[in-house]
Amino acid sequence: MNIMSTSRLPPPPNVLDSSDMRVQELIHGHRFVQEQEPFMIVLETLAVCADRPLGSVLPKPDAHEAFHYALPHRRKMRFLLFQDRHLEQVVEDGSIPDHEKWHEWKKRVNAQFGEGQRELGAGASHDAFAYLNERFSMDINALHQAVRLLQSRELDVMHNRRWTSRFLAVTGPDMICTDMREARGGWTADRRFFGRGGELVYLMLNRSSFAVELKRLVQERLLSENDPINRIAQALSDPADTGASNTQIGYLPHLTLSAYDRLAEDWLNVLMCNRLPEGHLFEPLFRITGLNIVVYLAERAQEEVGAPKAIPIVADLTDGGNQQLREEAKVHLNLHRDVANRAVRAFVERVLGDCDRWKMALERSDPGLAKQALKERFGFTKGDDHRGNAATPAQQLEAFIDHAMQRDKNNTYKYLLPLAKASGLATSRQRVGPWFALDDGMLFSLVLANVTHTIELRDFVAQLYRRYGLVIGPEEARDAFGRIHVERYEANLAALEARMTRLALTQRLSDDCAFVTNPYRL
């Protein structure tokens, strides 16, 4: 994993104003939050791409990208998909004559829509959905079929979220549903589930060497207006429903990093799997994006603590069957989390070490100067509530570092485990705890992102180690750790082959060689 670090870009004006401090923001960006799962990150990325295509706004060597982008509300389409409680009832109600069902549904849905929507005249006497009459020829069964087809693209259906925070797997721009909050009949962008992680991924792709190629593929395969499912979303949307929320792009500190090209190459390779239907692209994209974020955070921490290389990811493929391997994978997951906290301390101490005001505060043991230095360098104004202004500079420093390590938002220590589990990179069990383990979805994603032609299994495993630091077989373990238990990692490699054979991703042509194939790429 080559890092290729550069100096930090200054944040755009106002983008960090809402942060209670600026520590992790300056290490890896603003921001990642626990509530934003990997699929939401990719959705947010596509929402930015739909309004600001990749490559349309470029950074300068000394200036971060600074722009706003629009998040369409699509209230009526989302209402039909996630809130209307009458369409199914009317279609299934045998007591209503077929020729009356359209009008009966219209009467009911307008009454419901008017209850909570701020629209002039909305209610039973105003037809907010008149645009559907011509599009569906007043055929309630055709409308019902269209709604059900689009509902089948809903993501994460097991979570009972409010209807303004439910999302679709995107294959066209009209399917983008972003996180919104209802307030006094109007809608505003919410940052609970769209916490800016997708903006950071957008900025990584935008700064990569592949932005131009990606722009074309994203448009063709994920944001095509002519996609059949997107056409259904268009049909369910009111052309007059133009409400949108404008928001400012987030902050990604480094201008160029090898992590950006690695992520962009993975996106390119997944999108170039032309035998994989557009509707099946979304899952491998969000899984491989989650893995890339884990590696990116590990590399940022590595640089801050001054380690020679990032902590590897010992990946258990035996489903916990090899207890010793499982423990090694568990230890390395905890190391990834611990180094995030060590990076916070190292960064804070280094920044203050270059601060003249802080040096003066230490020399004079001046609490007021120390507090000013923390505000100047990190935007921190809360101070230590327990000691107040009387705390010594050393006490304020420890309190500040502790606060940075315990914060809820943008905290890698807290974010890493849910991110890894949601990406298919980690699992957990009662009385065992969490450890790094690849599920079948992650294996599938790794093949799509890394196999462009048939290669030997051991070469595939070596490539995963070079790109992501994934340790699976004995050769990679030996390179990462020196002395190892060879049998443990040979068993892990055999388990990988067995699972990939079951997924029709490997075949053994002789006793000596197993080959990995990507059946979805010509």
Side-chain angles (χ1 to χ4, degrees), residues 240-262:
D241 188 7
T242 58
S245 296
N246 287 313
T247 187
Q248 187 176 8
I249 196 69
Y251 171 58
L252 184 68
H254 291 274
L255 178 63
T256 56
L257 289 173
S258 58
Y260 305 165
D261 278 357
R262 179 177 58 230

Side-chain angles (χ1 to χ4, degrees), residues 101-119:
K101 285 186 175 182
W102 183 267
H103 300 288
E104 179 62 27
W105 170 72
K106 276 294 196 69
K107 181 176 68 176
R108 297 184 189 184
V109 74
N110 276 299
Q112 183 190 353
F113 184 75
E115 291 171 3
Q117 304 300 314
R118 188 172 63 192
E119 178 174 312

Side-chain angles (χ1 to χ4, degrees), residues 3 5 7 19 29 137 157 159 172 207 221 243 248 250 269 275 333 366 378 395 422 455 466 479 487:
I3 293 181
S5 175
S7 58
S19 298
S137 303
V157 294
H159 281 81
R207 296 178 191 177
R221 305 218 64 192
Q248 187 176 8
N269 284 331
R275 288 181 174 175
L333 176 56
D366 188 325
F378 304 109
Q395 290 170 335
I455 60 172
R466 289 192 303 270
D479 183 81
E487 300 83 1

